[in-house]
Amino acid sequence: KKAVEFAPTWPEPRTELGLLFMETGEEAEARQMLEASFTLDSFNSRTFIVLNLLDTLDKFRWIDTEHFVVKYDDERDAVLAPYFAEALEEMYPDVCRAYGASPAKPTIVELFPDHFGFSVRISTRPFIATVGACSGRVVALAAPRRESPFGCFNWRTVLRHEFAHVVTLDATENRIPHWMTEGLAVAQEPVPRSWGVKQLLAGAVKNERLFTLESIDWGFIRPKRPDDRPLAYMKSEWMIEYLVEKYGAPAVPGLMKAFRDKLTQPQAFERVLNIEPTAFDREFQEWATRQAEQWDVTVRPE
């Protein structure tokens, strides 16, 4: 807003502010900013593509429930939207109870009939390699139909994962570390740990490739190996399991409160767990080795 004030003929700040409004679900404000930017520069591809997306969203129907607004394409997904609304309200108390928090505003869930619209909604790019994402108050999903590139998927599990993000981000005013919000979201998925995941984690233990608290966020945003990102997801959830087992369930909302209070990760661990991150990493490594050995896989150096 300051940049718009200081440089009223520069379109880029208006575009960025419009995209930020999109992430927080304030689509009317987003359109106002993006149209003002487009008036200044009608060759900006991101402004153009998101304005087209807003034209599409204006045609969506919606279902209002007590805690959610479910938006959908009436021509292609009217049969699915009521199931979304029912499933979301059903999972709402469980997820909120797990973290001792509930979102201050209704959560907006947007169901896109194709992957292109979903990807533009989340990244302003025509392709993002996933089927569901959360930007804070907004959850977007591509419809689980038999079309490339992803085809069918368990939308109920994806919704629960993404709504966990909504709760943890809102409870910490977006200050929660990346690994922790992902670990808590994966922990909410009602599926057991697969054999493939166990092999991934056990291999990381054996080859000393487990991320540390300091390095794990880079596994999400700058992966160096093909399996770094899935390893970051699964190791995050594994750390949540260890946290709850050793320090008790209240440790999770305790850490979330510490992050909301603007503490750094080392400060939060000191206050809530009375341990330094490096010591936590060492203790987790020992625990993880014992856990993986129970899966009947080799984790000790041969």
Side-chain angles (χ1 to χ4, degrees):
K1 287 180 179 179
K2 280 293 183 184
V4 171
E5 177 186 342
F6 291 153
T9 60
W10 187 23
E12 193 64 21
R14 286 182 165 84
T15 295
E16 293 300 325
L17 183 55
L19 296 178
L20 182 58
F21 280 136
M22 290 291 290
E23 291 185 4
T24 56
E26 298 166 279
E27 291 166 359
E29 291 83 352
R31 178 182 286 281
Q32 181 181 355
M33 278 295 145
L34 291 168
E35 286 181 345
S37 175
F38 196 66
T39 299
L40 294 170
D41 177 12
S42 58
F43 292 90
N44 187 305
S45 61
R46 287 202 302 167
T47 308
F48 176 77
I49 200 171
V50 177
L51 282 172
N52 278 348
L53 175 71
L54 283 168
D55 291 341
T56 300
L57 286 170
D58 285 346
K59 300 173 185 176
F60 275 20
R61 300 286 295 274
W62 65 86
I63 298 174
D64 286 315
T65 70
E66 184 178 357
H67 303 106
F68 298 91
V69 179
V70 180
K71 298 184 178 182
Y72 61 96
D73 183 312
D74 192 39
E75 291 186 7
R76 301 185 66 183
D77 296 316
V79 69
L80 187 57
Y83 291 103
F84 268 47
E86 181 181 352
L88 285 162
E89 285 295 344
E90 185 177 309
M91 68 182 69
Y92 181 90
D94 291 342
V95 178
C96 292
R97 190 182 309 114
Y99 307 131
S102 55
K105 297 179 180 179
T107 301
I108 299 170
V109 179
E110 295 177 347
L111 173 62
F112 288 89
D114 54 50
H115 192 269
F116 178 85
F118 156 75
S119 187
V120 171
R121 180 66 176 89
I122 292 300
S123 66
T124 71
R125 298 291 188 274
F127 181 81
I128 184 173
T130 187
V131 293
C134 164
S135 63
R137 186 187 170 200
V138 179
V139 171
L141 275 83
R145 51 175 46 93
R146 294 184 185 276
E147 295 178 0
S148 62
F150 298 107
C152 297
F153 60 89
N154 189 324
W155 55 263
R156 193 184 185 99
T157 296
V158 174
L159 279 177
R160 192 177 182 99
H161 177 112
E162 302 304 338
F163 180 59
H165 282 312
V166 175
V167 175
T168 56
L169 289 167
D170 182 81
T172 59
E173 295 183 346
N174 299 317
R175 294 189 178 93
I176 189 171
H178 195 148
W179 73 265
M180 190 173 184
T181 187
E182 292 295 358
L184 292 172
V186 174
Q188 282 296 322
E189 296 178 17
V191 291
R193 185 175 286 128
S194 70
W195 175 240
V197 169
K198 290 179 179 180
Q199 288 179 308
L200 176 66
L201 292 171
V205 171
K206 178 180 178 180
N207 297 308
E208 298 182 347
R209 281 192 54 225
L210 281 179
F211 294 108
T212 65
L213 282 169
E214 185 177 348
S215 67
I216 190 167
D217 284 354
W218 293 104
F220 295 104
I221 59 179
R222 290 290 185 272
K224 296 180 180 179
R225 297 168 178 258
D227 62 355
D228 270 2
R229 185 169 281 122
L231 177 60
Y233 274 97
M234 295 305 111
K235 203 261 183 171
S236 296
E237 189 273 337
W238 216 13
M239 285 199 292
I240 296 298
E241 182 181 333
Y242 172 67
L243 269 173
V244 173
E245 180 178 310
K246 179 167 184 179
Y247 299 97
V252 172
L255 283 172
M256 288 168 59
K257 183 180 184 304
F259 292 126
R260 185 186 183 96
D261 293 341
K262 305 179 183 180
L263 268 64
T264 64
Q265 185 160 268
Q267 290 171 338
F269 270 61
E270 284 280 3
R271 179 205 278 185
V272 180
L273 309 179
N274 196 28
I275 191 172
E276 294 179 350
T278 52
F280 178 90
D281 287 331
R282 288 195 301 271
E283 293 184 5
F284 174 82
Q285 176 79 31
E286 296 170 0
W287 177 86
T289 302
R290 295 194 299 271
Q291 290 290 308
E293 286 174 337
Q294 298 176 21
W295 302 336
D296 197 24
V297 292
T298 303
V299 293
R300 303 287 182 180
E302 297 179 2

